[in-house]
Amino acid sequence: MAFIGHHEHTIDAKNRLAIPARFREQVDADRGRCFVAVPGEPPTTLWLYTDAEFNRLAGQISSSLTPDEDQVAFDSGFFSLAEPLEMDSQGRVLIPDYMLQATGLGREIVICGARDHFEIRPRAEFKEAFPDAWRKFGEFRRKVRDAKPQQGRQSGLQAGDPDQRESR
């Protein structure tokens, strides 16, 4: 099940963030009460994965006893910055102070679904970017569609389309 939608929230004075109920349900479905927070893109965001999804994705990265420089840099940088966040009985996670300082998130945030994870974004940045993202949605969809392999697709018409005419 994908993380979808967005929710305006506040990080409290103790750095706790209440996770939206429908996002908590996905963690429970993964048989856990834990998220993994990692630096996001842009750098003013945090990305949170369920523990199970984070481990699944981490397992897809090839490992070696003789890794190249880029792999060493990625592994030591990325995994050392990943932080497990356990949910309390009220569905809140404690965000480490160093992560809040590094991102500059502040207290007013938006939690945004992003398919296999969700993002914690500064509310002001989200509100500023929202109108442009809304206008460009069709363009984003076309770019993703065009980047995907054309599996049996025919230009302009789908296979089996009743209006499809053979050209001779």
Side-chain angles (χ1 to χ4, degrees):
M1 182 184 215
F3 288 109
I4 60 173
H6 66 277
H7 310 268
E8 290 188 6
H9 277 270
T10 302
I11 297 172
D12 72 15
K14 295 181 180 179
N15 294 350
R16 295 176 302 192
L17 174 64
I19 303 297
R22 64 179 163 176
F23 289 1
R24 287 194 312 262
E25 291 166 2
Q26 287 182 245
V27 176
D28 292 337
D30 278 346
R31 296 181 187 88
R33 304 241 348 128
C34 190
F35 291 100
V36 176
V38 299
E41 182 61 39
T44 55
T45 65
L46 290 174
W47 291 3
L48 273 68
Y49 292 87
T50 65
D51 187 47
E53 182 66 6
F54 181 84
N55 286 318
R56 185 188 73 76
L57 292 170
Q60 292 179 355
I61 299 170
S62 63
S63 189
S64 170
L65 291 175
T66 57
D68 65 24
E69 262 182 59
D70 290 339
Q71 187 69 52
V72 169
F74 175 80
D75 287 350
S76 62
F78 182 78
F79 290 102
S80 68
L81 296 175
E83 193 73 46
L85 306 179
E86 187 85 22
M87 271 194 303
D88 66 15
S89 61
Q90 295 178 349
R92 300 173 302 191
V93 294
L94 178 65
I95 300 175
D97 192 50
Y98 80 89
M99 287 187 149
L100 291 176
Q101 288 179 11
T103 59
L105 272 169
R107 302 285 173 206
E108 303 294 314
I109 57 94
V110 176
I111 299 173
C112 303
R115 191 178 8 167
D116 62 353
H117 66 283
F118 61 90
E119 303 172 356
I120 303 172
R121 297 183 164 268
R123 189 178 299 173
E125 282 184 22
F126 176 82
K127 286 185 173 191
E128 182 180 320
F130 183 84
D132 193 45
W134 186 270
R135 279 191 303 278
K136 291 182 177 179
F137 184 74
E139 178 185 335
F140 295 150
R141 183 181 11 220
R142 283 187 296 280
K143 284 181 180 180
V144 169
R145 181 195 63 216
D146 292 347
K148 290 170 68 174
Q150 301 294 319
Q151 301 171 350
R153 257 183 83 171
Q154 297 177 5
S155 179
L157 297 172
Q158 295 294 325
D161 188 329
D163 292 333
Q164 185 175 350
R165 306 282 188 259
E166 285 186 32
S167 55
R168 293 179 192 208

